[in-house]
Amino acid sequence: MHGLLWFSAAAICGMFVARDLVLFYTFFELMLLPLLIYVGRWGGEQRVRAALTMIVYTLLGSLPMLV
């Protein structure tokens, strides 16, 4: 759990330090991976549904940013 927290913090720092859009997008997507693992592993009763919903919403939100 601590490793995921450090990975998430490093990705957030990289996201804010990025100077171009491709690097920002890469760090943004890397930041979401530990959050997805947190929700999928330590979520409540409907954690799988919540994780899938998170994937769909973040992909639909980040694809226009990429375009």
Side-chain angles (χ1 to χ4, degrees):
M1 186 167 161
H2 292 285
L4 289 174
L5 183 65
W6 281 105
F7 183 79
S8 180
I12 290 171
C13 288
M15 187 179 71
F16 285 121
V17 174
R19 290 184 169 236
D20 60 347
L21 189 60
V22 175
L23 197 58
F24 176 82
Y25 182 78
T26 303
F27 279 115
F28 178 77
E29 292 298 324
L30 285 175
M31 177 197 64
L32 295 174
L33 290 175
L35 297 177
L36 179 65
I37 294 170
Y38 284 145
V39 170
R41 178 148 183 179
W42 291 291
E45 292 178 9
Q46 296 183 349
R47 62 182 175 232
V48 174
R49 183 171 186 250
L52 290 174
T53 304
M54 182 179 159
I55 289 172
V56 170
Y57 284 150
T58 56
L59 279 177
L60 290 176
S62 66
L63 283 178
M65 182 175 66
L66 180 63
V67 172

